[in-house]
Amino acid sequence: MNQIRQISIPDAYNAGISNYQNGALKKALLIFSKIIKADPNHASSHHMLGVIAANTNQYEAASKAMSEAVRLQPNNPEFLSNFVEVLRKVNKSEEAIEIGKRAVKANPNKANAHSNLGLAFYDCEDLIEAEASQRRAIALNPDYDHALNNLGSIAFDNEEYDEAIKYYRAALNVNPSSIEFSNNLIIALIQNENLSDAREIVNSAIKLQPNNSKLQNNIGKLALLENDLDAAEVAFRSSISSSDDEPDAYLGLSKVMYKKGQQQLSLIEAEKALRLKPESALAHYQIGKAQADLGDIEAGFLHYEKSIKIKPDMYASKMEIGH
């Protein structure tokens, strides 16, 4: 039997898993690397290298390691399902669908495999297949919180806000500590103009993660709709201080500044939002409004037109330019 310094490969592998489970990722990484050096065809160690890389956001490295694990064990359902998640992270959604189908075929009774396949379909904007996969996952596990949340997101994208709220609530009931599910439910409630229920979820969520950037952004949106401009400004600035890559928070702050009559500041914040999200029709619209109010009508119209090009049903921009 192959050994690593007198330790058998199975024992070494178990030690690697133990280190991984205890959060000692560097030690685990070293052990799995040594196993592969001793036995290049040790599929499980390749897979664990991919898992560790994914946990540290090194998705290209994770994809390479998991690809090798799947090559060595092409019908391993766990390897296949985890590989789907990594392929999505490196924007290879079509390949993720193919691997996801293999994962489901390898183990049709694994709810997680159906859900991951559904996410790959979702990435490719195939909402019909995405929904079907998530429903299969829930049929296998009715309390699968992530699948319930995913169904909520599909319903939200279809502008079926009552359905979205139903599934987001179900996901949150299964996992009340999930800030992601709370944020999704808040957004759906706001979109459905159910502000009192949104405020109730905010009050619960803020006890979980008061400094969560997305939560603070949602608090800002809610305060803005309630016309509490000072509270909205505080929340949007808090969101930005927690994470400077929240384009919606910059856009929300721009709206607050505009309502406060500070068009120059509104323009600055909207431009920040656009830099983070160049295809944002709303950012173009907000820039257009601020520029027009500041006297640059031509530049304002240009941004209105850009917002319509991105989002043809951008009625607010059409009204501004008289379409």
Side-chain angles (χ1 to χ4, degrees), residues 72-182:
L72 293 166
Q73 290 189 14
N75 297 315
N76 186 307
E78 181 183 5
F79 294 0
L80 291 165
S81 191
N82 288 342
F83 192 22
V84 172
E85 294 187 55
V86 169
L87 286 169
R88 291 182 58 238
K89 292 291 187 179
V90 294
N91 299 316
K92 294 181 178 179
S93 298
E94 291 184 1
E95 185 178 350
I97 289 173
E98 295 308 311
I99 297 295
K101 288 178 179 178
R102 286 171 55 187
V104 166
K105 184 178 180 180
N107 188 351
N109 296 320
K110 187 176 175 65
N112 176 262
H114 288 282
S115 183
N116 283 345
L117 175 57
L119 289 171
F121 278 122
Y122 183 86
D123 291 342
C124 291
E125 300 182 357
D126 188 341
L127 298 187
I128 293 174
E129 289 294 335
E131 180 177 351
S133 291
Q134 299 302 341
R135 291 195 182 281
R136 291 187 193 104
I138 290 170
L140 291 166
N141 180 2
D143 291 330
Y144 190 3
D145 53 350
H146 288 287
L148 290 165
N149 179 69
N150 295 337
L151 276 179
S153 296
I154 292 166
F156 188 92
D157 285 359
N158 284 327
E159 299 182 358
E160 298 170 351
Y161 300 121
D162 287 334
E163 281 289 291
I165 290 167
K166 180 180 78 174
Y167 286 116
Y168 286 146
R169 279 196 190 280
L172 193 59
N173 285 338
V174 175
N175 185 358
S177 64
S178 172
I179 195 70
E180 176 190 356
F181 300 165
S182 294

Side-chain angles (χ1 to χ4, degrees), residues 13 21 25 31 38 45 47 66 119 135 161 190 233 252 292 301:
Y13 181 77
Q21 292 173 339
L25 299 187
I31 291 170
S45 290
H47 174 249
M66 288 191 179
L119 289 171
R135 291 195 182 281
Y161 300 121
I190 289 174
E233 180 178 353
F301 271 42

Side-chain angles (χ1 to χ4, degrees), residues 52-290:
I52 293 170
N55 284 349
T56 53
N57 300 322
Q58 299 177 62
Y59 295 114
E60 291 291 348
S63 177
K64 182 178 179 181
M66 288 191 179
S67 177
E68 181 63 10
V70 166
R71 185 188 71 79
L72 293 166
Q73 290 189 14
N75 297 315
N76 186 307
E78 181 183 5
F79 294 0
L80 291 165
S81 191
N82 288 342
F83 192 22
V84 172
E85 294 187 55
V86 169
L87 286 169
R88 291 182 58 238
K89 292 291 187 179
V90 294
N91 299 316
K92 294 181 178 179
S93 298
E94 291 184 1
E95 185 178 350
I97 289 173
E98 295 308 311
I99 297 295
K101 288 178 179 178
R102 286 171 55 187
V104 166
K105 184 178 180 180
N107 188 351
N109 296 320
K110 187 176 175 65
N112 176 262
H114 288 282
S115 183
N116 283 345
L117 175 57
L119 289 171
F121 278 122
Y122 183 86
D123 291 342
C124 291
E125 300 182 357
D126 188 341
L127 298 187
I128 293 174
E129 289 294 335
E131 180 177 351
S133 291
Q134 299 302 341
R135 291 195 182 281
R136 291 187 193 104
I138 290 170
L140 291 166
N141 180 2
D143 291 330
Y144 190 3
D145 53 350
H146 288 287
L148 290 165
N149 179 69
N150 295 337
L151 276 179
S153 296
I154 292 166
F156 188 92
D157 285 359
N158 284 327
E159 299 182 358
E160 298 170 351
Y161 300 121
D162 287 334
E163 281 289 291
I165 290 167
K166 180 180 78 174
Y167 286 116
Y168 286 146
R169 279 196 190 280
L172 193 59
N173 285 338
V174 175
N175 185 358
S177 64
S178 172
I179 195 70
E180 176 190 356
F181 300 165
S182 294
N183 277 322
N184 287 343
L185 178 55
I186 292 164
I187 292 169
L189 289 166
I190 289 174
Q191 191 67 39
N192 215 33
E193 299 181 357
N194 194 337
L195 303 190
S196 60
D197 280 5
R199 177 60 67 184
E200 183 181 337
I201 301 301
V202 162
N203 291 339
S204 297
I206 205 165
K207 296 173 185 177
L208 298 172
Q209 291 187 32
N211 297 320
N212 180 269
S213 62
K214 292 186 184 301
L215 177 59
Q216 287 297 328
N217 182 44
N218 285 334
I219 292 171
K221 288 179 180 179
L222 188 56
L224 187 57
L225 287 170
E226 294 169 340
N227 209 34
D228 188 343
L229 300 184
D230 289 340
E233 180 178 353
V234 169
F236 286 132
R237 291 194 184 281
S238 176
S239 175
I240 291 165
S241 68
S242 297
S243 174
D244 60 4
D245 62 349
E246 288 283 352
D248 285 353
Y250 286 109
L251 185 59
L253 186 56
S254 173
K255 292 177 181 178
V256 170
M257 294 298 102
Y258 188 88
K259 283 196 169 189
K260 285 187 171 184
Q262 300 179 43
Q263 275 76 5
Q264 188 61 49
L265 290 177
S266 175
L267 176 61
I268 291 170
E269 300 302 333
E271 287 175 338
K272 290 177 183 176
L274 189 62
R275 282 196 291 273
L276 289 170
K277 194 175 180 180
E279 294 301 308
S280 172
L282 291 173
H284 279 293
Y285 171 71
Q286 194 65 29
I287 290 171
K289 279 178 56 175

